[in-house]
Amino acid sequence: MVIGLILASIPVAIAIAASQVGRLTRRFPETTLIRVSFVFYALALLSVPFVSNLWLLLIQTVMFGIGFGICSPIILSLVAARASKEYLATVISVNGAFCNLGRILGPLLMGIAFGIGGISGVFYAGAGIAIATLLIFKYFRSCLYA
């Protein structure tokens, strides 16, 4: 039951955060919010190996959910806004395909991380990917507004 409650906190946090994206984008630039969401991802994943109490994992799962709840709708909105109406469905479909590709490759890559560094290695690798994505996004953010 405890594990179920902890796992359920992720979609609840996603829903609450996503419901506030409109208000957040009126106060902060979208690119800033995306960067903040990846900081949430990284902090959540980096801190998991140090948690000694199962209930304290709620902090990390909520942080991760907040990051996803902020990032996902903003990225989808940016993708849709930059696609011409003629190709909008194709662009959204390709975006979805790449999201699904990530869901396929993620467990494979994390299996390798597990083999190398154990369960802590999985969380460190995930945090490393979040930080790398943050840096890549920062470097290429001009593409969003081209």
Side-chain angles (χ1 to χ4, degrees), residues 110-124:
M110 291 305 122
I112 294 168
F114 182 79
I116 294 170
I119 193 67
S120 294
V122 171
F123 293 104
Y124 295 142

Side-chain angles (χ1 to χ4, degrees), residues 29-102:
E30 293 165 322
T31 54
T32 299
L33 292 171
I34 292 171
R35 285 194 294 264
V36 167
S37 70
F38 277 92
V39 170
F40 269 85
Y41 289 148
L43 290 175
L45 293 169
L46 278 174
S47 59
V48 168
F50 301 103
V51 174
S52 59
N53 181 325
L54 194 59
W55 284 106
L56 290 176
L57 278 176
L58 279 171
I59 296 168
Q60 284 77 18
T61 56
V62 168
M63 285 176 58
F64 192 88
I66 290 170
F68 190 83
I70 291 171
C71 185
S72 184
I74 293 174
I75 289 177
L76 191 55
S77 174
L78 289 173
V79 167
R82 274 127 187 100
S84 68
K85 291 186 192 261
E86 180 182 11
Y87 297 109
L88 180 60
T90 302
V91 169
I92 297 296
S93 177
V94 168
N95 180 66
F98 275 97
C99 289
N100 287 329
L101 180 63

Side-chain angles (χ1 to χ4, degrees), residues 98-139:
F98 275 97
C99 289
N100 287 329
L101 180 63
R103 289 183 188 105
I104 292 167
L105 293 178
L108 295 172
L109 294 173
M110 291 305 122
I112 294 168
F114 182 79
I116 294 170
I119 193 67
S120 294
V122 171
F123 293 104
Y124 295 142
I129 291 169
I131 292 167
T133 304
L134 172 66
L135 295 173
I136 290 167
F137 178 77
K138 184 176 180 176
Y139 183 75

